[in-house]
Amino acid sequence: MAAEREARRLLSTSSSRRCCPTPLLWLPLLLLLLGRPASGAAAVRSGSPPQSAGASVRTFTPFYFLVEPVDTLSVRGSSVTLNCSAYSEPSPKIEWKKDGTFLNLVSDDRRQLLPDGSLFISNVVHSKHNKPDEGFYQCVATVDNLGTIVSRTAKLTVAGLPRFTSQPEPSSVYAGNSAILNCEVNADLIPFVRWEQNRQPLLLDDRVVKLPSGTLVISNVTEGDGGLYRCIVESGGPPKYSDEAELKVLQGPEEMLNLVFLMRPSPVIRVTGQSAVLPCVVSGLPSPGLRWMKNEEVLDTESSERLVLLAGGSLEISDLTEDDSGTYFCIADNGNKTIEAQAELTVQAPPEFLKEPTNIYAHESMDIVFECEVTGKPTPTVKWVKNGDVVIPSDYFKIVKEHNLQVLGLVKSDEGFYQCIAENDVGNAQAGAQLIILEHDVAIPTLPPTSLTSATTDHLAPATTGPLPSAPRDVVASLVSTRFIKLTWRTPASDPHGDNLTYSVFYTKEGVARERVENTSQPGEMQVTIQNLMPATVYIFKVMAQNKHGSGESSAPLRVETQPEVQLPGPAPNIRAYATSPTSITITWETPLSGNGEIQNYKLYYMEKGTDKEQDIDVSSHSYTINGLKKYTEYSFRVVAYNKHGPGVSTQDVAVRTLSDVPSAAPQNLSLEVRNSKSIVIHWQPPSSATQNGQITGYKIRYRKASRKSDVTETLVTGTQLSQLIEGLDRGTEYNFRVAALTVNGTGPATDWLSAETFESDLDETRVPEVPSSLHVRPLVTSIVVSWTPPENQNIVVRGYAIGYGIGSPHAQTIKVDYKQRYYTIENLDPSSHYVITLKAFNNVGEGIPLYESAVTRPHTVPDPTPMMPPVGVQASILSHDTIRITWADNSLPKHQKITDSRYYTVRWKTNIPANTKYKNANATTLSYLVTGLKPNTLYEFSVMVTKGRRSSTWSMTAHGATFELVPTSPPKDVTVVSKEGKPRTIIVNWQPPSEANGKITGYIIYYSTDVNAEIHDWVIEPVVGNRLTHQIQELTLDTPYYFKIQARNSKGMGPMSEAVQFRTPKALGSTGKGSRLPDLGSDYKPPMSGSNSPHGSPTSPLDSNMLLVIIVSVGVITIVVVVIIAVFCTRRTTSHQKKKRAACKSVNGSHKYKGNCKDVKPPDLWIHHERLELKPIDKSPDPNPVMTDTPIPRNSQDITPVDNSMDSNIHQRRNSYRGHESEDSMSTLAGRRGMRPKMMMPFDSQPPQQSVRNTPSTDTMPASSSQTCCTDHQDPEGATSSSYLASSQEEDSGQSLPTAHVRPSHPLKSFAVPAIPPPGPPIYDPALPSTPLLSQQALNHHIHSVKTASIGTLGRSRPPMPVVVPSAPEVQETTRMLEDSESSYEPDELTKEMAHLEGLMKDLNAITTA
């Protein structure tokens, strides 16, 4: 006993040793003390420790499964047993899991645990919506105080209700041929399928077989095989019968039958050890023989024990291995034809352990590794389980080298059973090992195992008694980084030299119970570097010294925190890529295990194989589909995760190819060769590799007669054949051919139709061709172009031409070309050399007579190797509208930029409008050039090149410059005048801009007159602002010829006028009077009631001729009297009138461009002068959009006088109605454009007024253009003022209307309107509105009297237009005051009587003239 105690003490003192020069010297002493043989020592991974260790060293307990459950197929209502048995001492407790959850078998009536641990399920339940028994089962064995192990997972599948996806169909077959009858059911019910013939069970033999799919194959059919067939599914319940199908056996035909596949081989996937059947059934007469090949190697089915040829030709392979995977070809041959089909066999393998984990002894704080190496197909995935629970990777449990489990810093709770579970698509397997953690005073009873890391290997040495070292001194962290810490210390005080001391550093993460240890590498070393730490983490370190007697005291704990680190994400795990279409690939991945904070996004990199251009896409999710890729092209992908610190570690590249597709291009270089009168050979090349989109499997040839395009014949060419002979064609017939490439996905686009004509008769090929009819050569420096024409005798076949050439002799080299070729370029010749060339036609008989020619290649000129540098700093300085100066610098000149050699510069320039403008060039010998003759307002680009001798530079960088503007040099084009529909007194003028605008057009001026020969300052003007190309002019006289001219202007001034365009206004409808004019009444005009005179003065009843004569004489006398009286009145006013007119002309600052003429105009027969009725110039309206071409006439009653604002709504409604009816474009009246005289002169028409004066209140706001009166209507760019005067004729309305006095026009250029007196009521003035001095003098409360207007005129005479000034109408008192201020005044009553009398006379006169 004393010896055993001494041995244990030695073991305990040596358990913490890490290094010793002679680690094995203690073993003989230990064995001697224990009295045990040396062979009793146990390994760390397996076996048991020596018995001498007693209770201090626990042994590994055998604990494993004897039987594990396997995958099982069952049917509804049957019973199932899932076997499981485990061995251990003591016996383990068995439990079962289904789909990861423990089953409660105590209260389960249908499931029970058998004594050996197996699970028995009675009366399996299965329905469409209730499948309680189907799933994955796992057996769990537990031994108290020892651990838990789990079995492999077994799948229980319950066959569903029988459903036929296809059923046998009636068919006919010739005797001696093969027949197939389909019967497809659920995949899990195939083992339960059997067949019946005529309601009797069908016996299977070598001639009649059932394939694994359930299909029945009958080979070498006889008459006895005829009958009714059906398949039955018996899966525990009542049998399920398919439809019956009759198989008829026919007698063999006299002619042969083509070979066809009744069943082609299809891809098969099986597991090693199973059997596989590759179906292949062929029909045809004579009966074909079948053979199989694998990867171009013929299979010997007769001598092989694993290969069997079934009925019909199907191949069965038993006891599969992975080597059986590959492509299999079924080839059928009956002597007349051979056909073949292929299929892929994939053999998978369940997981299999190459290296299982082994048992391990260890101490606390050690690091260990459980090793596990596994294989399988597909590659298995591995997970680790500890005591039945899945190990989740963490800082202390890590998966290393793909499958191994590393445990760092062992603690007592890590003890137990660890299992490596491998799984793939076809199975799973498990293997386990036990971990025992010994106390620190118990030595590991074996040599250092390979499972311990180098950091925690125990270096065992013989123990002796003696003093132990004290604690190391001055332990400090001399270097602290993010992932490692370097510790240094001094020797213990008990051993100042410490040459033979070794040290162990124990460290743990603060707050974590696991402690790890790191040993020094050699005795006396007093520093160690601790690696693989976490950034910004606090660690606790203790250092302990060991001597030959054992471990000494521990140093005081040292607390050190690692440096923080920019925490970047790790690689994204499980990156996968798969093609989803010919142009798209989907990539998936998972979140990095070391995300180091929130992942913000991912960057997906991809690259086409064979290129070095990588592209990237930002992705926020864990998958992405890239579209628009090339078809059938391999790409590589990788993913990088990003967090707030930046990009992390990239994943490994994964490669995948996009799916194939039909070719996207037609075959290339299609050519036709006419062989004879009945055959043509077609040649072609495959589509370019970028457009094949897959592997080309063949070509489709279509041809037709050119005369019968609907009758198309099709031929298929398989493989990589690039030519085809088409025979059986008609003589002398033109055929069209086209070819399309095929892939497994279908047919690509076809080539264009190519035509060839067969010979009328077969050409002669019994002799060689004759000499070519001509040969021409054209020498170049290093090549000669040869051209020729064929022999004159076209009845001899020519297969091609042979070209021979050489220096002095044509026999040095020979080139053969196609018979259709007519020219060829001989390359790689020597310059300045004399070549002799020969040409011969040849066919299959031989070569014909040669034709000779010679040529001397041109001499070789060596270009100057140093080109000139182009000029730099090109600048364009604009001087005028047609001149730009170009300057530049030449870097090849000295710094002073003086030209001393013969170089010159070429300047070129052009404009980009139009786009195809050609360059103009000019040479210069200085560093500048003056470009003249340019177009105004045009952008030019300039560049310069330098030339010196035969050397020239490239063109310099371009400079741009735009010439200044110039006044337009051409008039507006295409001036047209049309009458406005429904408005005969309104015309629309249209035009096009001038072809030489020379700048941006800012406006137009329209001139019009009735006299084409009048001075231009006598014409009426219409200004148009901007670049509008249409304008309306209203209130013209009917049936009158007008002449129009247009002038364009830009910022530089006015351009020339267009040619005069004549337009005659329409005639008045229904007018008979020679001087009568129909007023523009508008759409609201209503004719007078019957019984009164018509608007044109036509009488309603005929008159007696005598009465007519009396009336004419009377009217004439009265008219003369009236004219004399009025002439007297007018004469009295002449002097005053002329003075005021001259004053008005001087007060208006304008010219003929925008105003009428201010010269004296002779008044007509009768003028009513309203002296001093001119408006004071007012400021511009606040309207933000004043348009110069708007009609300067009062648009509403506020233009006349402001009244009560309470009528706003009605007047706005009236204004809107008016504008919508009259003002579609800019409209004007003649009265508003020739308004430059300060007096209102009203020529009266010969027609009586047809409308009475209407007084309507209005408060509508004055338009901008209408509010500008007198001399401030418009300000042109140069400051000229256009004077406009207000005059208007308003339409009659049933509701509110504007106060209007209609006056019949007597002058052909205009009609005037006299404003009416406003309605009674106190007018309220808005101080913001413009007003005249007359308006400011009006009394607010005077009663307003209505004023009648009369229309008087002269018959048949026209008078020049006169302007009318229309202010807001004053009250009667103001009007009277103004009239009194003039030199000649008229009383209102007198004027009214005169007008009434004249109105009666005009009615009578109209009646006479009409009759």
Side-chain angles (χ1 to χ4, degrees):
M1 293 296 294
E4 290 183 5
R5 284 196 299 271
E6 181 64 19
R8 293 192 188 98
R9 189 187 68 78
L10 293 175
L11 284 172
S12 64
T13 57
S14 64
S15 62
S16 60
R17 301 213 175 182
R18 300 298 180 261
C19 182
C20 186
T22 56
L24 300 179
L25 296 179
W26 64 277
L27 282 176
L29 176 61
L30 176 63
L31 296 175
L32 179 62
L33 292 172
L34 294 176
R36 303 291 183 185
S39 61
V44 73
R45 290 183 176 273
S46 60
S48 301
Q51 297 298 322
S52 62
S56 297
V57 179
R58 288 179 290 135
T59 61
F60 294 112
T61 303
F63 188 15
Y64 52 88
F65 285 102
L66 298 172
V67 179
E68 294 185 76
V70 296
D71 295 346
T72 305
L73 174 64
S74 179
V75 295
R76 186 176 56 175
S78 65
S79 298
V80 175
T81 300
L82 298 175
N83 296 315
C84 179
S85 177
Y87 171 80
S88 178
E89 291 294 341
S91 298
K93 173 187 175 183
I94 302 297
E95 296 177 290
W96 282 86
K97 282 184 177 181
K98 177 182 180 292
D99 298 330
T101 304
F102 281 102
L103 293 175
N104 183 8
L105 302 178
V106 177
S107 59
D108 199 326
D109 296 335
R110 294 188 306 105
R111 301 188 185 99
Q112 59 181 353
L113 189 65
L114 300 181
D116 64 346
S118 299
L119 179 64
F120 176 75
I121 305 175
S122 61
N123 190 22
V124 173
V125 176
H126 189 82
S127 64
K128 183 176 181 180
H129 301 290
N130 184 26
K131 303 175 182 179
D133 295 332
E134 193 173 62
F136 294 90
Y137 289 82
Q138 191 174 40
C139 179
V140 182
T142 305
V143 176
D144 292 338
N145 300 322
L146 183 62
T148 301
I149 58 175
V150 296
S151 71
R152 69 178 302 277
T153 302
K155 181 180 181 182
L156 173 61
T157 304
V158 182
L161 297 175
R163 293 192 307 273
F164 292 101
T165 56
S166 71
Q167 303 192 46
E169 297 180 353
S171 60
S172 300
V173 62
Y174 288 104
N177 237 325
S178 298
I180 62 171
L181 295 168
N182 291 318
C183 180
E184 295 183 11
V185 295
N186 318 17
D188 48 12
L189 290 178
I190 290 177
F192 305 101
V193 173
R194 66 179 181 86
W195 282 87
E196 288 184 352
Q197 178 186 13
N198 297 326
R199 305 293 177 92
Q200 297 298 321
L202 180 64
L203 299 178
L204 304 179
D205 52 23
D206 294 341
R207 196 176 59 84
V208 180
V209 296
K210 184 189 75 170
L211 298 181
S213 63
T215 300
L216 182 67
V217 179
I218 307 174
S219 64
N220 195 17
V221 173
T222 64
E223 291 185 4
D225 294 325
L228 298 176
Y229 287 83
R230 67 177 180 180
C231 64
I232 304 100
V233 180
E234 295 175 326
S235 58
K240 178 80 172 181
Y241 295 93
S242 71
D243 296 339
E244 284 189 325
E246 182 180 5
L247 177 65
K248 293 182 179 180
V249 180
L250 307 177
Q251 295 302 317
E254 296 179 358
E255 67 277 4
M256 294 184 298
L257 295 179
N258 286 333
L259 292 181
V260 293
F261 282 105
L262 298 180
M263 179 177 287
R264 289 176 172 268
S266 56
V268 177
I269 300 176
R270 289 291 183 268
V271 180
T272 54
Q274 296 180 346
S275 297
V277 175
L278 298 172
C280 183
V281 182
V282 181
S283 172
L285 288 177
S287 296
L290 269 78
R291 69 180 188 273
W292 283 85
M293 296 181 64
K294 176 195 174 186
N295 299 336
E296 300 182 358
E297 180 183 348
V298 178
L299 299 178
D300 186 2
T301 57
E302 296 182 357
S303 60
S304 175
E305 296 180 355
R306 297 174 52 244
L307 303 178
V308 177
L309 204 60
L310 302 179
S314 300
L315 177 66
E316 182 180 21
I317 308 173
S318 58
D319 194 17
L320 289 171
T321 65
E322 291 189 45
D323 294 337
D324 293 324
S325 297
T327 303
Y328 288 78
F329 296 86
C330 174
I331 303 173
D333 186 2
N334 64 356
N336 296 322
K337 189 175 182 181
T338 301
I339 59 175
E340 68 175 45
Q342 67 183 48
E344 192 77 18
L345 172 62
T346 302
V347 180
Q348 298 179 334
E352 182 179 352
F353 288 100
L354 301 178
K355 188 174 186 179
E356 297 184 0
T358 57
N359 300 329
I360 296 178
Y361 280 118
H363 285 145
E364 287 187 276
S365 301
M366 286 185 178
D367 300 342
I368 63 166
V369 175
F370 283 109
E371 295 181 348
C372 178
E373 190 173 346
V374 66
T375 185
K377 186 179 180 181
T379 302
T381 59
V382 170
K383 66 179 179 179
W384 284 86
V385 173
K386 177 202 169 189
N387 291 332
D389 296 326
V390 177
V391 175
I392 299 175
S394 65
D395 292 342
Y396 297 97
F397 288 86
K398 298 182 177 181
I399 304 297
V400 295
K401 295 182 180 179
E402 296 184 356
H403 299 151
N404 297 340
L405 175 66
Q406 183 183 41
V407 185
L408 304 178
L410 289 175
V411 295
K412 191 65 177 177
S413 59
D414 292 334
E415 199 173 62
F417 285 90
Y418 289 80
Q419 290 176 276
C420 175
I421 299 179
E423 182 178 8
N424 63 8
D425 294 341
V426 293
N428 62 89
Q430 63 83 25
Q434 184 180 2
L435 170 64
I436 294 179
I437 297 179
L438 300 175
E439 298 294 336
H440 277 290
D441 58 350
V442 178
I444 296 176
T446 183
L447 295 177
T450 57
S451 61
L452 301 180
T453 65
S454 60
T456 58
T457 302
D458 281 300
H459 301 278
L460 302 179
T464 59
T465 60
L468 298 176
S470 61
R473 296 175 292 174
D474 300 334
V475 179
V476 295
S478 60
L479 182 59
V480 179
S481 182
T482 58
R483 297 282 178 174
F484 67 89
I485 292 177
K486 183 178 181 181
L487 294 177
T488 59
W489 58 86
R490 292 171 57 207
T491 57
S494 61
D495 193 349
H497 298 289
D499 295 336
N500 296 321
L501 294 181
T502 59
Y503 298 90
S504 295
V505 179
F506 295 87
Y507 64 97
T508 181
K509 192 185 300 184
E510 189 176 51
V512 177
R514 290 182 180 272
E515 186 178 61
R516 301 183 63 190
V517 63
E518 186 77 23
N519 299 313
T520 55
S521 58
Q522 59 187 6
E525 187 177 9
M526 289 179 291
Q527 66 177 20
V528 70
T529 300
I530 310 298
Q531 309 244 11
N532 300 320
L533 302 180
M534 299 297 295
T537 305
V538 177
Y539 288 88
I540 309 298
F541 296 91
K542 293 183 297 182
V543 182
M544 185 182 297
Q546 292 105 16
N547 60 15
K548 59 182 178 179
H549 305 296
S551 299
E553 296 179 12
S554 172
S555 67
L558 174 65
R559 185 176 181 274
V560 183
E561 182 177 4
T562 54
Q563 295 289 336
E565 166 180 81
V566 176
Q567 299 182 352
L568 300 175
N574 298 330
I575 178 172
R576 295 184 177 89
Y578 55 91
T580 55
S581 76
T583 59
S584 62
I585 292 177
T586 297
I587 304 93
T588 62
W589 60 90
E590 297 177 4
T591 304
L593 299 177
S594 56
N596 294 330
E598 181 181 358
I599 301 296
Q600 294 181 342
N601 71 308
Y602 298 90
K603 185 157 290 202
L604 172 62
Y605 295 88
Y606 66 97
M607 180 171 60
E608 181 183 346
K609 185 177 180 181
T611 64
D612 55 358
K613 183 180 180 182
E614 190 174 47
Q615 304 180 62
D616 60 85
I617 300 172
D618 289 328
V619 184
S620 58
S621 61
H622 291 99
S623 65
Y624 190 81
T625 299
I626 301 179
N627 299 305
L629 302 177
K630 296 180 181 179
K631 299 177 180 179
Y632 199 65
T633 302
E634 187 173 350
Y635 289 85
S636 62
F637 302 88
R638 64 185 181 93
V639 175
V640 176
Y642 280 69
N643 62 9
K644 62 182 180 180
H645 301 296
V649 182
S650 173
T651 64
Q652 295 294 323
D653 287 354
V654 294
V656 68
R657 184 185 295 272
T658 52
L659 300 179
S660 61
D661 198 3
V662 297
S664 55
Q668 306 177 91
N669 303 329
L670 178 65
S671 62
L672 304 176
E673 177 186 348
V674 180
R675 283 291 178 90
N676 49 47
S677 61
K678 291 190 177 182
S679 63
I680 295 177
V681 178
I682 309 173
H683 300 274
W684 65 89
Q685 292 295 321
S688 61
S689 57
T691 61
Q692 291 182 10
N693 303 334
Q695 188 172 359
I696 300 297
T697 59
Y699 296 90
K700 183 182 292 185
I701 301 173
R702 304 181 70 191
Y703 61 95
R704 66 191 182 189
K705 292 182 179 180
S707 59
R708 299 179 60 184
K709 295 185 177 181
S710 60
D711 186 10
V712 179
T713 305
E714 191 173 283
T715 300
L716 290 179
V717 177
T718 59
T720 58
Q721 184 177 333
L722 298 177
S723 64
Q724 178 68 18
L725 176 64
I726 306 297
E727 298 180 300
L729 305 179
D730 296 341
R731 296 174 179 269
T733 304
E734 183 181 3
Y735 285 87
N736 298 331
F737 295 85
R738 70 192 311 179
V739 180
L742 303 175
T743 63
V744 293
N745 303 88
T747 307
T751 61
D752 294 332
W753 291 101
L754 189 62
S755 300
E757 185 176 352
T758 56
F759 299 142
E760 284 287 348
S761 59
D762 292 335
L763 298 180
D764 181 13
E765 202 171 1
T766 60
R767 50 185 175 148
V768 297
E770 295 184 358
V771 63
S773 55
S774 67
L775 173 63
H776 303 278
V777 295
R778 183 165 64 91
L780 301 175
V781 177
T782 59
S783 61
I784 297 177
V785 179
V786 182
S787 59
W788 64 89
T789 54
E792 294 181 356
N793 187 353
Q794 299 289 322
N795 295 322
I796 303 177
V797 175
V798 175
R799 297 294 180 185
Y801 296 91
I803 303 173
Y805 64 94
I807 298 178
S809 171
H811 307 298
Q813 295 189 48
T814 302
I815 297 172
K816 291 189 176 182
V817 297
D818 188 75
Y819 76 98
K820 293 182 296 183
Q821 199 158 334
R822 295 293 179 265
Y823 65 91
Y824 183 79
T825 302
I826 306 174
E827 304 282 356
N828 302 321
L829 303 180
D830 296 332
S832 303
S833 300
H834 184 273
Y835 283 87
V836 179
I837 301 167
T838 181
L839 176 71
K840 295 179 287 186
F842 67 88
N843 56 19
N844 292 333
V845 177
E847 295 180 346
I849 302 173
L851 191 62
Y852 292 91
E853 190 64 72
S854 64
V856 178
T857 52
R858 298 181 183 178
H860 182 58
T861 57
V862 180
D864 196 324
T866 57
M868 297 285 288
M869 293 293 294
V872 297
V874 180
Q875 294 183 352
S877 304
I878 294 90
L879 303 182
S880 67
H881 65 273
D882 65 347
T883 305
I884 294 179
R885 178 181 296 277
I886 308 301
T887 60
W888 60 89
D890 191 344
N891 283 345
S892 62
L893 292 176
K895 290 185 178 180
H896 53 73
Q897 294 285 291
K898 288 186 178 180
I899 301 174
T900 58
D901 49 23
S902 60
R903 72 181 63 197
Y904 65 92
Y905 301 90
T906 303
V907 182
R908 69 174 184 179
W909 66 91
K910 78 179 186 76
T911 178
N912 291 327
I913 301 176
N916 58 353
T917 305
K918 295 182 179 180
Y919 280 101
K920 293 184 178 180
N921 298 286
N923 293 333
T925 56
T926 61
L927 297 179
S928 66
Y929 184 76
L930 196 67
V931 183
T932 59
L934 303 178
K935 295 181 180 179
N937 192 43
T938 305
L939 178 65
Y940 287 88
E941 66 174 38
F942 303 88
S943 55
V944 186
M945 69 179 291
V946 59
T947 302
K948 180 181 178 182
R950 291 185 299 175
R951 292 193 301 156
S952 296
S953 71
T954 58
W955 289 104
S956 68
M957 297 182 66
T958 58
H960 294 82
T963 53
F964 295 144
E965 291 188 2
L966 184 67
V967 295
T969 54
S970 66
K973 303 181 297 184
D974 303 333
V975 181
T976 58
V977 183
V978 295
S979 177
K980 186 172 182 181
E981 184 177 356
K983 303 225 179 262
R985 291 173 57 195
T986 299
I987 60 96
I988 300 175
V989 184
N990 301 304
W991 64 92
Q992 292 298 318
S995 57
E996 297 177 2
N998 298 338
K1000 182 180 178 181
I1001 297 299
T1002 59
Y1004 296 89
I1005 297 178
I1006 304 174
Y1007 296 81
Y1008 63 96
S1009 172
T1010 57
D1011 184 4
V1012 71
N1013 297 318
E1015 295 293 334
I1016 192 62
H1017 54 264
D1018 290 334
W1019 289 50
V1020 184
I1021 65 170
E1022 287 284 338
V1024 179
V1025 171
N1027 56 358
R1028 296 201 312 112
L1029 302 176
T1030 184
H1031 187 70
Q1032 292 190 19
I1033 301 175
Q1034 65 174 9
E1035 296 297 328
L1036 299 181
T1037 306
L1038 299 178
D1039 195 19
T1040 302
Y1042 286 86
Y1043 298 90
F1044 296 86
K1045 295 182 180 180
I1046 300 182
Q1047 188 178 26
R1049 72 169 291 125
N1050 58 18
S1051 63
K1052 293 297 182 180
M1054 309 297 300
M1057 293 185 185
S1058 65
E1059 294 294 329
V1061 176
Q1062 181 183 5
F1063 179 79
R1064 190 179 191 90
T1065 53
K1067 295 182 179 181
L1069 299 177
S1071 173
T1072 57
K1074 183 177 180 181
S1076 65
R1077 298 292 182 266
L1078 178 63
D1080 200 354
L1081 299 177
S1083 59
D1084 295 334
Y1085 170 72
K1086 298 180 181 179
M1089 300 297 291
S1090 61
S1092 63
N1093 287 353
S1094 69
H1096 311 292
S1098 299
T1100 59
S1101 61
L1103 293 175
D1104 179 272
S1105 60
N1106 294 330
M1107 179 63 71
L1108 178 61
L1109 182 59
V1110 172
I1111 291 174
I1112 291 174
V1113 173
S1114 302
V1115 170
V1117 173
I1118 295 172
T1119 301
I1120 294 172
V1121 173
V1122 172
V1123 169
V1124 171
I1125 295 173
I1126 294 176
V1128 172
F1129 289 159
C1130 292
T1131 304
R1132 294 173 59 188
R1133 299 183 57 207
T1134 301
T1135 305
S1136 175
H1137 174 74
Q1138 303 236 357
K1139 290 179 181 179
K1140 293 181 181 292
K1141 182 168 64 174
R1142 285 193 295 271
C1145 288
K1146 292 179 181 180
S1147 65
V1148 178
N1149 181 20
S1151 66
H1152 74 278
K1153 293 181 181 179
Y1154 292 97
K1155 297 187 291 289
N1157 190 8
C1158 286
K1159 68 179 182 178
D1160 295 338
V1161 179
K1162 182 179 179 179
D1165 296 338
L1166 177 60
W1167 291 93
I1168 300 176
H1169 299 272
H1170 285 241
E1171 301 290 350
R1172 300 177 185 175
L1173 286 181
E1174 54 180 311
L1175 295 180
K1176 178 182 178 181
I1178 59 176
D1179 294 335
K1180 200 168 186 178
S1181 169
D1183 192 324
N1185 281 317
V1187 181
M1188 185 174 72
T1189 57
D1190 282 352
T1191 307
I1193 62 175
R1195 295 298 186 188
N1196 48 58
S1197 59
Q1198 192 169 356
D1199 298 338
I1200 307 301
T1201 180
V1203 292
D1204 191 356
N1205 291 328
S1206 64
M1207 304 302 291
D1208 275 352
S1209 60
N1210 291 335
I1211 300 310
H1212 276 292
Q1213 182 179 1
R1214 167 61 181 165
R1215 183 183 68 166
N1216 293 338
S1217 172
Y1218 171 79
R1219 285 185 174 175
H1221 199 64
E1222 283 284 319
S1223 300
E1224 297 175 6
D1225 287 296
S1226 174
M1227 302 178 66
S1228 77
T1229 62
L1230 184 59
R1233 295 300 184 271
R1234 286 292 303 269
M1236 73 289 182
R1237 293 178 177 81
K1239 296 183 178 60
M1240 181 173 68
M1241 303 170 228
M1242 300 181 353
F1244 292 104
D1245 200 347
S1246 60
Q1247 292 292 332
Q1250 299 302 317
Q1251 291 175 308
S1252 62
V1253 175
R1254 298 175 302 280
N1255 298 327
T1256 305
S1258 173
T1259 59
D1260 201 358
T1261 304
M1262 183 185 301
S1265 61
S1266 300
S1267 65
Q1268 301 178 17
T1269 60
C1270 191
C1271 303
T1272 61
D1273 195 348
H1274 174 71
Q1275 192 82 14
D1276 75 353
E1278 298 176 352
T1281 304
S1282 174
S1283 302
S1284 298
Y1285 292 84
L1286 306 175
S1288 172
S1289 63
Q1290 300 285 347
E1291 296 177 3
E1292 182 176 353
D1293 200 317
S1294 58
Q1296 304 275 347
S1297 62
L1298 300 177
T1300 308
H1302 280 263
V1303 181
R1304 299 299 175 203
S1306 61
H1307 191 278
L1309 282 184
K1310 60 174 68 181
S1311 58
F1312 296 98
V1314 179
I1317 303 302
I1324 300 174
Y1325 297 103
D1326 188 344
L1329 294 174
S1331 61
T1332 66
L1334 290 175
L1335 295 177
S1336 63
Q1337 298 171 6
Q1338 291 176 354
L1340 297 178
N1341 297 320
H1342 286 304
H1343 180 69
I1344 306 300
H1345 299 282
S1346 62
V1347 179
K1348 295 182 180 180
T1349 60
S1351 179
I1352 307 174
T1354 58
L1355 296 176
R1357 283 201 306 144
S1358 64
R1359 47 174 77 94
M1362 298 299 294
V1364 180
V1365 178
V1366 184
S1368 298
E1371 298 181 3
V1372 175
Q1373 289 84 350
E1374 294 297 329
T1375 307
T1376 305
R1377 189 181 301 117
M1378 286 187 296
L1379 296 176
E1380 288 174 354
D1381 292 339
S1382 63
E1383 294 183 5
S1384 63
S1385 304
Y1386 304 97
E1387 292 296 331
D1389 292 339
E1390 181 183 357
L1391 182 61
T1392 302
K1393 292 179 182 180
E1394 195 69 27
M1395 293 303 173
H1397 181 62
L1398 186 59
E1399 181 179 356
L1401 293 177
M1402 290 302 103
K1403 286 183 179 181
D1404 296 338
L1405 183 60
N1406 283 337
I1408 294 171
T1409 57
T1410 303

